[in-house]
């Protein structure tokens, strides 16, 4: 089941139903059912998701019955990554198991999660390198890095 956790610790479970179709179309102009029949629209939709963070939150808002601003008020970068992955999973789950769209969507989800993990490791490595290059002084020195307070 598609889920993500917000900064307040609340777990959001995403399940797209046909009742969400009209509100999603009205809010975003994307028709999830149309994606199953028009591969060129699916490609455009996936590109839009990759390029437009507001679209992700607009979709989540319609699925969860809340405004994007309400959802983003309890979100940070980690929440955004988890919510994006959960949205892809919910879209894949929306289609029947025998749908030709389901396997490619699940593969995209796995590739997205792998890319997010690789990016996290790359950034972590860069940050560790920067920290290790930072000059340090003995514990008794008052010339240590100043802390704001």
């Amino acid at each position: 089941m598609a889920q993500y956790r917000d900064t307040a610790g609340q777990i959001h479970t995403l399940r797209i139903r046909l009742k969400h179709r009209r509100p999603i179309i009205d809010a975003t102009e994307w028709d999830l059912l149309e994606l199953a029949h028009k591969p060129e629209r699916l490609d455009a939709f996936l590109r839009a998701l990759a390029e437009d963070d507001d679209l992700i939150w607009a979709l989540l808002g319609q699925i969860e019955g809340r405004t994007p601003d309400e959802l983003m008020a309890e979100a940070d970068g980690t929440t955004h990554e988890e919510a994006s992955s959960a949205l892809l999973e919910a879209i894949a789950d929306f289609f029947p198991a025998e749908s030709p769209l389901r396997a490619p969507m699940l593969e995209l989800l796995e590739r997205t999660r792998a890319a997010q993990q690789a990016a996290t490791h790359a950034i972590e490595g860069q940050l560790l390198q920067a920290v290790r290059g930072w000059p340090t002084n003995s514990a008794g020195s008052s010339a240590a890095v100043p802390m704001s307070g």
Side-chain angles (χ1 to χ4, degrees):
M1 179 140 311
Q3 296 181 327
Y4 72 94
R5 183 185 309 266
D6 66 23
T7 57
Q10 180 180 351
I11 295 174
H12 298 252
T13 300
L14 302 179
R15 187 153 190 168
I16 301 172
R17 299 283 191 209
L18 285 177
K19 72 176 186 172
H20 298 118
R21 182 181 184 204
R22 180 55 47 200
I24 288 173
I25 292 170
D26 292 344
T28 69
E29 299 181 11
W30 289 102
D31 183 351
L32 296 182
L33 284 181
E34 180 185 41
L35 303 179
H37 306 289
K38 296 183 179 177
E40 69 280 358
R41 289 293 289 160
L42 176 62
D43 183 57
F45 175 72
L46 294 174
R47 287 181 193 281
L49 279 178
E51 297 169 0
D52 186 0
D53 293 338
D54 290 335
L55 176 59
I56 293 167
W57 293 102
L59 290 164
L60 291 170
Q62 294 307 314
I63 295 164
E64 296 191 58
R66 298 178 64 195
T67 69
D69 288 340
E70 289 172 337
L71 295 173
M72 287 188 290
E74 297 294 331
D76 61 9
T78 300
T79 307
H80 180 74
E81 284 188 8
E82 288 182 12
S84 299
S85 292
L87 179 60
L88 285 176
E89 185 176 355
I91 292 168
D93 290 346
F94 174 70
F95 297 105
E98 60 277 354
S99 170
L101 269 183
R102 189 161 182 143
M105 288 298 296
L106 291 174
E107 180 181 327
L108 175 62
L109 173 63
E110 290 308 312
R111 287 190 358 230
T112 299
R113 286 181 175 157
Q116 287 171 342
Q117 188 174 27
T120 298
H121 288 297
I123 291 169
E124 181 180 9
Q126 291 172 349
L127 292 173
L128 284 172
Q129 197 172 25
V131 168
R132 289 178 181 144
W134 192 261
T136 57
N137 297 312
S138 66
S141 173
S142 62
V145 178
M147 298 288 173
S148 62

